[in-house]
């Protein structure tokens, strides 16, 4: 059914008896509410005249016992009534009209409802859940793609700005640049922008037979008349890469992100894409609006690329970006909820998400996966973030990259250990009774699946165990969810082509989708434990000094290097999870001074050799988090 649209409020001139600047209105259900034009706020309670505030209580707060009854002589506190004793901290009283009410001294609140132990526990649980959601939403709102904090000082040693440019600073201290001739602003410094591969490539001539054109949405694309093909990828970038020496593992996230914004995510003028959704039915309402958009002649759902304008039913508010950001948090929190059976947690102690192979319990699950793909692409296009992240193998599949045995450790460390044990030990003499098959659970029924043709008749031996391990890892990572994954990517490609994300790696995709939180180094240090080091060790002192000097991106990469994710749980560093449940960040003295730091993502542990100087430690840490891949094994 079509979701309920934002109601158009009808002003009612019933303002008699109200304070100046107040107005009484009614919502579509006939419920009266009151508008304070002085502060531009609304409330359900009837406002009182200034001279009446100390005399008459607000009618809508009749359930709150009058304050003067708290000191009446006949209101002596009792901790029990005819039904028995009250919970600890509660008291029963009687107001001036003889009505019984209850006082909770723990929270300094009152209620007409008699409290029971179940009532108290349920309220505490509800308040805790609300607190967790508010904290998660606050953390989500603070995410950013800012990779470093640039100096706001004009004397930065880079020389004068080009003609027509001006440097300014935002209220939070971040520098940006204004180009007055074109009335254009950008974060990139035009003095250093010319050094980027994009700018260098634009200075080169096009290869023979190539031409630049613009599509109806104003996006630049390239025509190769030699092969009669088109692409959004600038062919001059390949010429540039062949002419300069780029280190193999050097991460260039900022440059890749600039290419994505410039080539695939231009701002489209026109009417905004409007959605009026209900908070208590946000999943179905959003599904209705988004899946009703069909690809146009370009093959893309370009209506979803227009500026988003979100309204919540029954709420007054104008969307200047804040409501859209809140909508992305709420819809991603809802659609990625494992209760919908579309996704599930990777493991009991791993809260990253992967596709649920039993999602077909919902007959329309493929349409919902396409919907999720569209929402994820919308988050990329509109520079917003989703609430929760996927596993690293999921991001690799998005990038069309082959999965390997090492990817299994980030998903299921126990499964990975068992397979690597087979590789490290001789098994012929043990006769484990294994064949090239695996058990699969289909709605409570265990089904044997062959890993290769005739696998149930092939024993695993030392000679063929390498092939067996590779097939088992592939089986665990793929889990027969290709159909669901294809539907997800179909939705993603309804907005963005595959070329838009082809240059990213799987860790950069995680940053792109869930963003970076601001890391409190002091909190990090407070919730860190040490092995073979102590807080007064000079290496530990250097380590935290380096962490203070690191940019936010480098801190995120180190956290990702050690824990497997750049994302913190709602409770921050105090609630980091390991392979066996809660596991604090750990720094252990291990290795020679000539080796790089190692990480053990199952245990949130960093093996930090006892380097002889702070500079050496900084260089080794930087090299480890930016130019290495792989995992430690225990």
């Amino acid at each position: 059914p079509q979701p309920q649209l934002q109601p158009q409020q009808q002003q009612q001139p019933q303002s008699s008896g109200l304070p100046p600047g107040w107005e009484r209105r009614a919502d579509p259900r006939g419920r009266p509410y009151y508008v304070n034009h002085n502060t531009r706020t609304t409330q359900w309670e009837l406002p009182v005249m200034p001279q009446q505030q100390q005399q008459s209580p607000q009618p809508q707060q009749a359930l709150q016992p009058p304050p003067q009854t708290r000191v009446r002589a006949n209101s002596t506190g009792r901790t029990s009534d005819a039904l028995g004793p009250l919970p600890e901290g509660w008291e029963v009283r009687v107001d001036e009209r003889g009505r019984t009410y209850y006082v909770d001294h723990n929270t300094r609140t009152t209620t007409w409802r008699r409290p029971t132990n179940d009532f108290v526990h349920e309220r505490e649980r509800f308040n805790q859940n609300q607190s967790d959601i508010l904290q998660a939403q606050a953390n989500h709102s603070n995410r950013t793609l800012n990779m470093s904090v640039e100096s706001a000082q004009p004397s930065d040693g880079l020389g004068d700005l080009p003609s027509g440019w001006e440097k300014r600073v935002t209220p939070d201290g971040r520098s940006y640049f204004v180009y007055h001739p074109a009335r254009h602003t950008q974060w990139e410094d035009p003095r250093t922008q010319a050094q980027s591969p994009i700018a260098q490539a634009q200075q080169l001539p096009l290869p023979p037979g190539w031409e630049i054109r613009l599509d109806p949405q104003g996006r630049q694309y390239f025509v190769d008349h030699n092969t009669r093909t088109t692409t959004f990828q600038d062919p001059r970038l390949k010429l540039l890469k062949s002419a300069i020496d780029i280190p193999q593992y050097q991460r260039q996230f900022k440059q890749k992100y600039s290419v994505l914004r410039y080539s695939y995510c231009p701002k489209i003028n026109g009417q905004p894409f409007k959605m009026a959704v209900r908070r208590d039915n946000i999943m179905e309402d959003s599904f209705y609006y988004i899946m009703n958009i069909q690809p146009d002649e370009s093959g893309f759902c370009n209506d979803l690329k227009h500026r988003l304008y979100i309204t919540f039913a029954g709420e007054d508010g104008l969307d200047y970006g804040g409501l859209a950001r809140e909508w992305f948090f709420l819809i991603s929190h809802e659609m990625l909820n494992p209760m919908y059976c579309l996704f599930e947690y990777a493991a009991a102690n791993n809260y990253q998400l992967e596709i649920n192979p039993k999602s077909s319990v919902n007959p329309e699950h493929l349409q919902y996966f396409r919907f999720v793909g569209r929402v994820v692409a919308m988050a990329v296009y509109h520079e917003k973030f989703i609430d929760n992240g996927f596993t690293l193998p999921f991001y690799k599949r998005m990038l069309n990259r082959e999965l390997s045995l090492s990817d299994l450790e980030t998903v299921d460390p126990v499964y990975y250990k068992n397979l690597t044990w087979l590789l490290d030990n001789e098994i012929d003499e043990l006769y484990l009774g294994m064949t090239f098959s695996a058990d699969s659970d289909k709605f409570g029924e265990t089904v044997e699946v062959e890993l290769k043709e005739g696998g149930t008749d092939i024993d695993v031996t030392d000679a063929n165990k390498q092939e067996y391990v590779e097939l088992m890892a592939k089986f665990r990572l793929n889990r027969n969810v290709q159909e669901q994954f294809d539907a997800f990517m179909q939705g993603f490609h309804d907005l963005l082509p595959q070329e838009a994300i082809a240059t990213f790696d799987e860790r950069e995709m995680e940053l792109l989708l869930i963003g970076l939180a601001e890391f409190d180094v002091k909190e990090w240090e407070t919730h860190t434990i040490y092995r073979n080091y102590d807080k007064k060790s000079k290496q530990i002192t250097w380590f935290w000094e380096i962490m203070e000097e690191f940019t936010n991106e480098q801190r995120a990469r180190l956290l990702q290097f050690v824990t497997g994710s750049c994302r913190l749980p709602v409770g921050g560093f105090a609630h980091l999870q390991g392979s066996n449940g809660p596991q604090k960040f750990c720094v252990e003295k291990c290795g020679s001074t000539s080796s790089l730091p190692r990480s053990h993502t199952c245990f949130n542990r960093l093996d930090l050799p006892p380097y002889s100087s702070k500079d050496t430690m900084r260089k080794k840490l930087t090299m480890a988090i930016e130019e290495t891949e792989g995992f430690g094994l225990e």
Side-chain angles (χ1 to χ4, degrees):
Q2 184 172 354
Q4 177 181 341
L5 297 178
Q6 174 73 20
Q8 182 178 1
Q9 310 293 352
Q10 297 181 355
Q11 298 187 11
Q12 299 185 5
Q14 302 176 12
S15 301
S16 59
L18 297 178
W22 285 81
E23 177 187 346
R24 182 180 184 276
R25 293 184 182 180
D27 67 5
R29 299 181 182 178
R31 297 178 299 179
Y33 65 99
Y34 301 90
V35 182
N36 184 352
H37 294 288
N38 305 303
T39 60
R40 298 181 180 179
T41 58
T42 60
Q43 65 182 51
W44 296 108
E45 296 80 8
L46 175 67
V48 297
M49 298 295 289
Q51 64 271 20
Q52 297 175 336
Q53 289 181 353
Q54 303 299 326
Q55 300 176 3
S56 58
Q58 298 178 7
Q60 296 298 330
Q61 293 181 339
L63 290 179
Q64 173 68 29
Q68 58 267 30
T69 63
R70 298 177 182 266
V71 295
R72 287 177 55 86
N74 65 343
S75 295
T76 55
R78 291 180 288 118
T79 58
S80 63
D81 57 12
L83 298 179
L86 299 174
E88 183 179 357
W90 284 82
E91 176 187 339
V92 60
R93 293 184 180 180
V94 179
D95 70 0
E96 58 185 3
R97 299 181 182 178
R99 297 177 297 178
T100 300
Y101 65 96
Y102 300 88
V103 182
D104 181 6
H105 293 289
N106 305 301
T107 60
R108 297 184 179 180
T109 57
T110 61
T111 178
W112 297 107
R113 179 179 174 183
R114 186 187 186 279
T116 63
N117 288 329
D118 291 341
F119 167 77
V120 173
H121 294 158
E122 192 65 30
R123 188 176 67 173
E124 290 176 352
R125 189 180 301 112
F126 173 79
N127 291 337
Q128 183 61 43
N129 289 339
Q130 290 297 107
S131 176
D132 290 344
I133 291 176
L134 290 175
Q135 181 62 41
Q137 188 168 351
N139 293 343
H140 181 271
S141 300
N142 290 333
R143 297 182 195 172
T144 178
L145 277 175
N146 185 18
M147 295 293 103
S148 62
V149 180
E150 301 179 11
S151 171
Q153 300 300 323
S155 56
D156 48 18
L158 296 177
D160 296 333
L161 288 167
S163 177
W165 286 88
E166 178 189 355
K167 183 177 181 179
R168 295 181 180 178
V169 180
T170 63
D172 59 1
R174 185 179 177 187
S175 301
Y176 67 99
F177 299 86
V178 182
Y179 185 52
H180 292 289
R183 297 182 179 180
H184 162 77
T185 61
Q186 64 182 48
W187 297 113
E188 294 79 11
D189 190 328
R191 295 167 295 180
T192 59
Q193 194 176 18
Q195 302 170 7
S196 70
I198 302 173
Q200 294 181 46
Q202 291 172 349
Q203 296 175 2
L204 298 176
L206 286 170
W210 285 80
E211 176 187 3
I212 300 177
R213 292 183 180 177
L214 298 177
D215 68 5
Q217 284 73 41
R219 294 181 303 175
Q220 179 177 276
Y221 67 98
F222 301 86
V223 182
D224 183 1
H225 294 288
N226 305 299
T227 60
R228 297 183 179 180
T229 58
T230 60
T231 178
F232 287 107
Q233 183 71 38
D234 192 334
R236 294 169 293 184
L237 284 172
K238 295 182 179 179
L239 298 176
L240 180 65
K241 289 181 179 180
S242 63
I244 61 177
D245 181 24
I246 299 179
Q248 182 178 3
Y249 297 111
Q250 183 178 0
R251 302 188 185 277
Q252 300 174 335
F253 179 83
K254 189 173 182 179
Q255 295 173 357
K256 296 174 185 178
Y257 184 72
S258 297
V259 173
L260 171 68
R261 305 305 317 165
Y262 177 78
S263 301
Y264 302 102
C265 302
K267 292 183 179 179
I268 298 180
N269 297 324
Q271 293 295 321
F273 179 70
K274 297 182 178 181
M275 287 194 294
V277 298
R278 295 165 290 180
R279 288 183 182 271
D280 58 354
N281 201 34
I282 193 169
M283 180 77 164
E284 295 303 323
D285 290 356
S286 302
F287 181 88
Y288 170 83
Y289 280 106
I290 291 175
M291 296 308 294
N292 268 350
I293 302 300
Q294 300 300 321
D296 56 23
E297 62 277 3
S298 69
F300 296 103
C301 297
N302 288 311
D303 286 348
L304 300 179
K305 299 178 181 179
H306 289 253
R307 187 179 77 83
L308 300 180
Y309 189 91
I310 310 296
T311 56
F312 291 98
E315 301 179 20
D316 292 328
L318 298 177
D319 187 5
Y320 292 105
L323 294 181
R325 185 166 54 250
E326 182 180 6
W327 175 80
F328 272 106
F329 168 80
L330 295 174
I331 187 60
S332 60
H333 185 82
E334 192 76 5
M335 71 186 185
L336 301 180
N337 189 335
M339 296 297 293
Y340 282 98
C341 291
L342 297 177
F343 297 90
E344 64 181 2
Y345 296 128
N349 50 16
N350 184 348
Y351 296 105
Q352 293 177 316
L353 296 169
E354 59 183 2
I355 294 175
N356 189 340
K358 301 176 184 177
S359 63
S360 58
V361 68
N362 180 350
E364 298 181 355
H365 68 129
L366 296 182
Q367 275 293 93
Y368 277 95
F369 276 111
R370 186 176 182 181
F371 164 72
V372 174
R374 286 189 177 186
V375 172
V376 170
M378 289 171 66
V380 173
Y381 194 95
H382 294 287
E383 300 183 86
K384 299 296 189 296
F385 303 110
I386 60 177
D387 175 50
N388 203 353
F390 304 102
T391 61
L392 290 182
F394 185 91
Y395 295 124
K396 290 187 74 171
R397 294 185 71 180
M398 288 184 65
L399 300 169
N400 290 334
R401 298 185 180 178
E402 289 292 330
L403 302 181
S404 63
L405 176 62
S406 62
D407 295 317
L408 185 58
E409 186 180 14
T410 65
V411 176
D412 195 334
V414 175
Y415 205 98
Y416 173 79
K417 274 188 178 182
N418 293 337
L419 293 181
T420 53
W421 184 91
L422 295 177
L423 297 178
D424 297 337
N425 296 273
E426 295 183 359
I427 62 174
D428 284 348
E429 300 298 330
L430 300 177
Y431 188 70
L432 301 176
M434 296 185 302
T435 62
F436 276 70
S437 62
D439 291 337
S440 176
D441 178 29
K442 290 190 176 181
F443 302 103
E445 179 185 359
T446 301
V447 179
E448 190 175 25
V449 180
E450 292 185 337
L451 300 178
K452 59 187 295 187
E453 186 175 355
T456 54
D457 299 322
I458 304 174
D459 291 330
V460 179
T461 65
D462 285 326
N464 61 17
K465 65 182 181 181
Q466 180 68 44
E467 180 187 9
Y468 171 79
V469 167
E470 292 175 355
L471 291 175
M472 282 295 292
K474 183 177 180 181
F475 173 80
R476 172 62 182 84
L477 291 171
N478 291 330
R479 306 169 76 235
N480 296 322
V481 294
Q482 189 62 45
E483 189 178 27
Q484 295 95 315
F485 182 78
D486 290 342
F488 171 88
M489 290 307 297
Q490 182 184 6
F492 188 88
H493 292 154
D494 283 341
L495 277 87
L496 293 171
Q498 185 65 29
E499 294 83 1
I501 59 174
T503 59
F504 295 94
D505 65 26
E506 61 274 15
R507 297 182 184 276
E508 291 166 337
M509 282 299 298
E510 184 178 38
L511 292 177
L512 184 66
L513 290 179
I514 69 175
L516 288 174
E518 289 293 334
F519 299 108
D520 186 336
V521 177
K522 294 299 182 184
E523 180 199 2
W524 195 340
E525 182 178 1
T526 299
H527 297 290
T528 296
I529 59 177
Y530 307 98
R531 293 170 62 175
N532 301 324
Y533 280 127
D534 58 50
K535 291 184 178 181
K536 297 181 180 179
S537 301
K538 61 180 181 180
Q539 285 83 5
I540 297 301
T541 301
W542 293 339
F543 176 78
W544 293 115
E545 289 176 355
I546 293 171
M547 292 300 295
E548 290 282 3
E549 297 165 2
F550 268 180
T551 64
N552 204 51
E553 178 199 8
Q554 289 174 309
R555 295 174 193 146
R557 289 203 183 280
L558 189 138
L559 182 66
Q560 192 176 52
F561 176 72
V562 177
T563 68
S565 174
C566 64
R567 175 182 170 84
L568 286 174
V570 172
F573 288 99
H575 292 79
L576 283 177
Q577 296 289 317
S579 59
N580 299 316
Q583 179 68 60
K584 288 190 175 183
F585 190 91
C586 177
V587 181
E588 179 176 3
K589 180 193 287 187
C590 183
S592 65
T593 56
S594 61
S595 60
L596 292 175
R598 296 188 307 167
S599 67
H600 303 266
T601 57
C602 305
F603 308 100
N604 298 337
R605 196 178 80 227
L606 174 68
D607 289 348
L608 185 66
Y611 298 115
S612 58
S613 70
K614 179 180 174 181
D615 288 340
T616 301
M617 181 182 292
R618 181 189 291 106
K619 291 177 182 178
K620 296 288 187 179
L621 278 172
T622 302
M623 185 177 298
I625 65 177
E626 293 189 354
E627 300 186 8
T628 61
E629 292 182 288
F631 301 89
L633 176 64
E634 289 191 349

